[in-house]
Amino acid sequence: MREVDVAAARRIAVHAQLLDGTATDVLSTVRHLGFLQLDPISTVAPPQHLVLWSRLGDRYDPAELDRLLWETRQLVEWDAFLYPIEDMPILKARMRRREGPWERRLDAFLKENAAYRRYVLRELEQRGPLLSREIEDHAPTKREAHRWWGARKMGLMLGVLNARGQVAVVGRRGKQRVWDLAERWYPETETIPWAEAERLREEKRFRSQGVRLEKGKWIAHPDVDDSPVSAARTTFLSPFDRLVHDRARAHKLWDFFYRLEMYVPKAKREYGYYVLPILKGDRVVGRIEPVHDRKAGTLDVLGTWWEDKPVSVDRPLKSLARWLGASL
């Protein structure tokens, strides 16, 4: 590992995240990045797809991600993230972990609802794979309201059992997850202790980000590319993109203050509801607010804001519209 200046750190970060135009296919890209975050908000497109478009362009086919998840099983969904299947030993170590306040809350919930847990697992064993409502509608009692989970007890139970590695997401019907027993979906793997899993996870994260900030200094991973990044490539980044997900890190790298203002009252927003950073070469040069109107079949731009001088975004906008099947 070596210390680098901020200009080199920018180049290294862009190369490490495959935002330099070198990404070739979905599987190798996810393996290189380490994971994709899932989120239901799709003002432009769901973030897992937008992250891949940023790297692969309009040749990216979202159906390929589904094929890798549900047919070849080279990717796996767990706890609202997608991972390469070879990371299962690390994920299973995290599932077994019992330290910390969050793990204690999970254990308390399962203990308090032991009978309900047994019912859910029995239904999946006998009738699975199932949607959550297909389990719930088969229950002998009606949905019960609760002061903090409302009528969502089934979804909460499935989420907790998924975190504990007892149930797995095995498909989707539309936007709804299909559940089954984890033992019928997850492959057999070696068992590694949590300390080793955490070490491997941190090493993967460091490698995929290229640089990290330690005591005010940028430290580069040994296996990084420090070559110039072509300024000819311009793309837009999902708010969940790992290049900008750590807002403090992005601010240190580019002097770029970024936040997602979805939950900010409209009158108090500085920019817009769902604004995407604009990356040109190894510089974050501005932000743009595109909106995909699915009913009208259009991609509209509500605004652009620049850090310095404006740049042309015609090429990435046309690429994004083609990928979405929308007109500008």
Side-chain angles (χ1 to χ4, degrees), residues 280-299:
K280 180 176 175 59
D282 62 3
R283 298 300 303 267
V284 178
V285 297
R287 54 199 95 202
I288 187 168
E289 187 177 13
V291 175
H292 182 202
D293 187 330
R294 290 163 178 80
K295 290 184 178 180
T298 59
L299 180 65

Side-chain angles (χ1 to χ4, degrees), residues 67-83:
R67 187 184 72 84
L68 293 167
L69 279 163
W70 318 126
E71 295 180 25
T72 66
R73 300 193 191 182
Q74 290 168 285
L75 300 177
V76 63
E77 178 177 338
W78 180 67
D79 201 25
F81 287 83
L82 306 181
Y83 297 92

